[in-house]
Amino acid sequence: MVAAVLPTYARMPVAFDRGVGAHLFTAEGESYLDFGSGIAVNALGHAHPHLVQALKDQAEKLWHTSNIFEIPGQQRLAERLIAASFADTVFFCNSGAEAIECAVKMARRYHWAKGAPERYRIVTIEGAFHGRTLATIAAGGQQKHLEGFGPPVEGFDQVAFGDIAAIKAAIGPETAGVLIEPILGEGGLRVWPHSSLRALRALCDEEGILLLCDEVQCGMGRTGKLFAHEWAGIIPDIVAVAKGLGGGFPVGACLATENAASGMVAGTHGSTFGGNPLAMAIGNAVLDIILADGFLERVQHASKLFSQKLAQVQDEHPDIIEEVRGEGLMRAVKCKVPNKDLLEACLQEHLLTVGGGDNVLRLLPPLIIKDEEIEDGVRRLSRACTALARGNGVAT
């Protein structure tokens, strides 16, 4: 008999009843330290008082009107995102996949409006993850996501990660743009060198095509700046965000320059729930915190401490950890053992982590993580490595 909930997830055998900050609690009162943050969604931890109050206040006033009418909270959030970024305009939706769909449609429509409808193809990166819709699994190009779902949506050309020459070779007269994650999330947490991002920006300019960034996971302060591409000093044409933007409430957004969005006129795109008053109240509350003086500097401080502590764990457990990767509070350890084994060992230590491609274990603590919680989490990771090494017969 099939499960009541469609069994498309390989769930861990634990359920949570409540959360506070970086901690989750079962109904029996067992505490877990959350270094997964709902896969980088809970940017401000669990039950942040400012977000809770914003949701309560909005829930008592108005939930939904549709985009047929003006939505003041939507206008305010768009203006704040624009003021804090490269963008001139914002489209709101419900998820990262929808934000990517909007980005791809916008790139195609840009060239169509400029009189080049033949330019519709997007160059993407092998191992990338852009969502689970038909178009976004085609953009990601991973066979494990495409298998059994019929012919992939046409128009995506994958090239190897980090290979600017391969990207240049893949660009042709039908290319509309290049889509990258500045830091691959699910695809092994690999970081594009800043010099490569600058070279990619120059290449797109030379070819007259658009640069699209997927910052669904690495955006909204995760690296210590509002967006990860800022570290490279580049200005993209379109950026997709979600996850941390809602701090746990479903919301996504597609940010763009006026030029890139020039083809998107009334009637070309829409979303029933996208940008509704509830989501916008939470999005504005998240920005209240992330854009407050000193918040991102505090993330940068926590990042340095996290990096130092993880390097120590790697030194202590060379038979378990091959490499530490990432930037900001978006880190991973590449495992010498199956990453699932280390994930389960961490779970035994009541430390929540997230698996990833290329045999990595992702470590994505909330941005409000305290120094002592970083040290606690790394100690639990070290104990998990020790337990795993003993189980494998390795002296520690």
Side-chain angles (χ1 to χ4, degrees):
M1 179 182 293
V2 68
V5 177
L6 190 69
T8 56
Y9 299 108
R11 299 184 193 273
M12 285 188 273
V14 60
F16 298 105
D17 180 61
R18 64 187 178 92
V20 179
H23 295 266
L24 283 166
F25 300 87
T26 67
E28 293 75 30
E30 290 189 353
S31 173
Y32 288 74
L33 184 57
D34 188 1
F35 272 30
S37 297
I39 315 182
V41 166
N42 299 101
L44 302 181
H46 300 279
H48 191 288
H50 187 61
L51 271 60
V52 171
Q53 191 61 52
L55 186 58
K56 285 181 176 177
D57 290 346
Q58 188 60 49
E60 292 175 352
K61 293 193 296 184
L62 185 65
W63 291 23
H64 184 80
T65 61
S66 93
N67 283 295
I68 294 173
F69 305 101
E70 293 185 357
I71 300 174
Q74 192 179 111
Q75 182 71 24
R76 179 167 181 256
L77 183 55
E79 290 173 351
R80 296 176 79 189
L81 287 170
I82 290 167
S85 75
F86 73 99
D88 300 311
T89 188
V90 183
F91 177 85
F92 291 106
C93 49
N94 306 293
S95 69
E98 286 185 59
I100 293 294
E101 290 265 1
C102 178
V104 171
K105 288 179 70 176
M106 186 180 290
R108 290 183 173 188
R109 184 82 180 183
Y110 167 82
H111 291 287
W112 180 88
K114 299 288 185 185
E118 73 279 5
R119 284 194 174 274
Y120 71 98
R121 306 191 69 83
I122 305 291
V123 177
T124 60
I125 307 303
E126 292 174 359
F129 179 80
H130 298 297
R132 293 281 193 168
T133 65
L134 284 174
T136 55
I137 60 174
Q142 296 194 47
Q143 190 56 37
K144 64 182 179 182
H145 298 146
L146 290 165
E147 187 176 62
F149 294 110
V153 172
E154 217 267 334
F156 298 98
D157 302 303
Q158 271 89 37
V159 301
F161 172 82
D163 192 338
I164 300 296
I167 292 175
K168 184 177 178 63
I171 295 172
E174 296 182 342
T175 302
V178 178
L179 170 62
I180 62 156
E181 296 169 274
I183 304 174
L184 267 70
E186 196 276 345
L189 221 119
R190 289 173 286 172
V191 182
W192 279 85
H194 298 163
S195 59
S196 293
L197 292 181
R198 289 192 285 272
L200 189 54
R201 174 69 273 181
L203 177 59
C204 288
D205 290 340
E206 291 168 11
E207 299 287 346
I209 60 176
L210 302 180
L211 176 59
L212 293 64
C213 288
D214 178 345
E215 296 232 14
V216 169
Q217 188 167 151
C218 62
M220 299 312 300
R222 177 59 52 184
T223 65
K225 288 188 180 291
L226 187 59
F227 297 116
H229 69 259
E230 294 176 26
W231 290 105
I234 64 167
I235 297 176
D237 298 293
I238 304 171
V239 169
V241 298
K243 290 187 181 288
L245 177 60
F249 197 93
V251 60
C254 183
L255 287 65
T257 64
E258 182 174 6
N259 181 50
S262 57
M264 304 297 280
V265 298
T268 54
H269 196 49
S271 171
T272 294
F273 296 105
N276 81 8
L278 279 173
M280 297 300 93
I282 293 296
N284 275 302
V286 167
L287 282 195
D288 290 343
I289 304 296
I290 290 182
L291 296 182
D293 288 345
F295 183 87
L296 291 175
E297 287 75 12
R298 164 64 200 169
V299 173
Q300 292 172 25
H301 162 80
S303 163
K304 290 176 183 174
L305 176 64
F306 198 25
S307 176
Q308 292 166 0
K309 295 295 179 182
L310 288 175
Q312 292 174 11
V313 176
Q314 182 189 4
D315 290 341
E316 293 166 3
H317 302 282
D319 295 310
I320 303 295
I321 297 176
E322 177 178 331
E323 180 185 357
V324 177
R325 296 176 176 174
E327 288 187 351
L329 293 177
M330 186 176 180
R331 303 280 172 173
V333 293
K334 180 172 172 57
C335 302
K336 289 186 177 178
V337 298
N339 60 351
K340 184 173 182 293
D341 291 352
L342 184 54
L343 185 151
E344 291 176 351
C346 287
L347 188 63
Q348 292 300 312
E349 295 292 335
H350 285 204
L351 175 66
L352 304 179
T353 60
V354 183
D358 201 27
N359 201 36
V360 304
L361 189 73
R362 282 179 282 176
L363 303 160
L364 308 163
L367 306 185
I368 48 88
I369 194 80
K370 300 172 183 173
D371 287 0
E372 55 268 31
E373 290 170 331
I374 289 175
E375 292 172 354
D376 182 15
V378 173
R379 281 195 297 270
R380 296 184 196 215
L381 174 64
S382 182
R383 290 200 298 268
C385 289
T386 298
L388 206 53
R390 286 174 177 161
N392 289 340
V394 177
T396 58

